[in-house]
Every structure is written in C-alpha cells, then in structure tokens.
C-alpha cells in the first residue's frame, strides 16, 4: 500500500519532528519549507496520498497551496496545520478543499493518528466489480470511487465522496452529525462537529442545482442531514 505523505512546514524544528514521527509510523515522507516547493513535489509525485500543509508560509499561504492541489484534480487527503484558532480560519481551510485541520500547539501522536485515519479513508476498502449506487440523477461507482450526475463526472475529494456514499446508502434516513463523523472520519476522530457542516456546504456547492436551496442533501433541523430519495 502506498503510504506517501507530504509535509509542508517552514519551521524546521516542527517539520523535522513531524517527519521523524511519521517515518517511525511507517510513512514515506517528503518535506517542503515553501509553498512553491510543495507544489513542485506534488506535480512530480501525483501518488502522494496525504498532505499536511502549514498555513503561515514565507511565500504563498497554505490555503493557496490547498486550492492549487485541488485545481490539479488531486483527491489526496489534506490536513491544514495552523496556529490560528478562530472559527473563520478553520472554515476557510475546509472550504478551500482541506479534509481536516490540526491547531498548533498539537500532539504529534494525534497528528499521526489523523494522517493514518485520512489515509485509510483515501485508500478506501475492497469492492466488487459491479458495485454502484444510484439515486435520482446520481450514480456512485464504488470501484472507481467516482460520482456522476446526469452522466457528467463530479470532482470530489475523498471526504466528500465518503459523505455522499454515506447518504446514498441511507436514503431517506436522517443522519446526525455524529453519525456522519463516524461513517466518514472514523470513530477515533477527535475533531469538531463543525467539520461535518463545512464539508456538506462544500459538497452542496458541487452537486446541488441551487446550493442555497438544496434538493438532495436536506437539513434536518436540530439533528443533522438527510438524503432526499423521492426526487
């Protein structure tokens, strides 16, 4: 199994510590101290599975690096590493295409666990040759881990794909934020429920005809969300 991870961090002592612990955990680690170098490494190594991106960098910030990676069409898992604690900064990172965030100061054990969990999500699980899910104009191909709407492929991150799969295997059933968190991020995830809301907002932008008035992913007030099957 490919276990290639990119670490982008301009503070050498932090980067070295993270890299050392990831290597001890069995990952193949590439490292960069600038956004420009990180993007070069990404283009040269399209098989990178997870990227850990610092936000505050000397050239371009981690948000721009994240946007660029998604522009390449990469579905690698992305974790933002930031000293910022304001809610708006967390939302910004997730809306640019990140899957998770870890706030400094952080436990390196927690970071390694987050990388491991995200790598499992990106790698996916076994499938059958004819596995697919259908609902309305959508077809989810669990073999290729792709989604099409009216025959047109929708570019999703692996977390977005996981959320959509959770909905399409539970049509008409209300899922709480905790349900979605466990189905997609895993029961060992220790982050905030806000990550569910932001990823669903991002997913709606990609799949809904009118994200401001969603038809497919509907809000169940005071509880969570539901995939509307009678469309």
């Amino acid at each position: 199994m490919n276990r290639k991870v990119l670490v982008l961090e301009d503070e050498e002592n932090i980067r070295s510590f993270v890299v050392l612990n990831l290597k001890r955990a069995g990952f193949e680690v590439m490292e960069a101290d600038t956004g420009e170098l990180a993007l070069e490494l990404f283009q040269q190594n399209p098989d990178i599975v997870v990227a850990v991106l610092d936000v505050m960098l000397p050239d371009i910030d981690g948000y721009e690096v994240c946007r660029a990676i998604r522009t390449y069409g990469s579905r690698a898992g992305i974790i933002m590493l930031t000293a910022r604690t304001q809610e708006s900064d967390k939302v910004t990172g997730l809306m640019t295409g990140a899957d998770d965030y870890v706030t400094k100061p952080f436990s390196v054990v927690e970071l390694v666990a987050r990388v491991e969990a995200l790598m499992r999500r990106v790698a996916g699980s076994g499938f059958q040759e004819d596995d697919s899910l259908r609902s309305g104009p959508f077809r989810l191909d669990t073999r290729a881990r792709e989604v099409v709407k009216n025959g047109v492929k929708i570019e999703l991150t692996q977390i977005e794909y996981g959320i959509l799969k959770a909905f399409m295997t539970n049509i008409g059933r209300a899922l709480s934020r905790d349900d979605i968190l466990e189905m997609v991020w895993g029961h060992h995830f220790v982050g905030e429920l806000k990550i569910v809301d932001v990823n669903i907002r991002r997913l709606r932008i990609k799949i809904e005809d009118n994200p401001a008035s969603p038809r497919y992913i509907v809000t169940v007030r005071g509880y969570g969300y539901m995939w509307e099957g009678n469309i």
Side-chain angles (χ1 to χ4, degrees), residues 16-197:
S16 299
F17 188 54
V18 170
V19 168
L20 175 64
N21 280 273
L22 286 171
K23 285 183 176 179
R24 284 177 173 170
F27 295 100
E28 177 186 351
V29 187
M30 312 184 74
E31 53 185 297
D33 58 359
T34 66
E36 183 178 350
L37 177 56
L39 291 176
E40 288 178 7
L41 290 172
F42 226 98
Q43 289 179 310
Q44 294 164 7
N45 299 271
D47 59 338
I48 288 172
V49 183
V50 174
V52 179
L53 308 178
D54 187 28
V55 170
M56 301 299 292
L57 298 167
D59 51 352
I60 55 178
D61 67 33
Y63 299 140
E64 290 301 319
V65 175
C66 182
R67 287 191 189 97
I69 290 172
R70 292 305 184 213
T71 300
Y72 297 157
S74 172
R75 293 189 291 176
I78 297 178
I79 299 174
M80 303 303 295
L81 192 59
T82 176
R84 300 177 178 184
T85 57
Q86 291 185 357
E87 195 69 24
S88 60
D89 293 317
K90 297 174 182 178
V91 172
T92 297
L94 293 170
M95 288 303 291
T96 56
D99 300 296
D100 196 1
Y101 54 81
V102 174
T103 305
K104 297 178 183 177
F106 60 89
S107 159
V108 72
V109 174
E110 178 188 343
L111 178 60
V112 171
R114 296 280 190 98
V115 171
E116 188 74 66
L118 190 52
M119 183 163 285
R120 285 197 301 270
R121 170 55 56 193
V122 172
S125 56
F127 52 80
Q128 298 297 319
E129 195 69 23
D130 59 350
D131 274 358
S132 66
L133 301 170
R134 296 176 185 271
S135 179
F138 297 93
R139 181 176 64 83
L140 186 147
D141 183 338
T142 58
R143 179 172 183 266
R145 298 179 68 81
E146 293 179 348
V147 176
V148 297
K149 178 183 179 183
N150 293 319
V152 178
K153 181 180 174 182
I154 302 173
E155 292 293 344
L156 300 178
T157 69
Q158 289 302 310
I159 290 295
E160 292 163 352
Y161 167 87
I163 293 173
L164 191 55
K165 182 179 179 182
F167 281 130
M168 290 180 66
T169 52
N170 291 278
I171 295 173
R173 174 190 166 197
L175 300 178
S176 70
R177 291 169 177 81
D178 284 316
D179 290 335
I180 297 168
L181 204 62
E182 181 164 346
M183 290 175 181
V184 179
W185 282 267
H187 66 279
H188 294 299
F189 183 78
V190 294
E192 304 171 36
L193 287 175
K194 172 63 69 175
I195 198 171
V196 174
D197 297 319

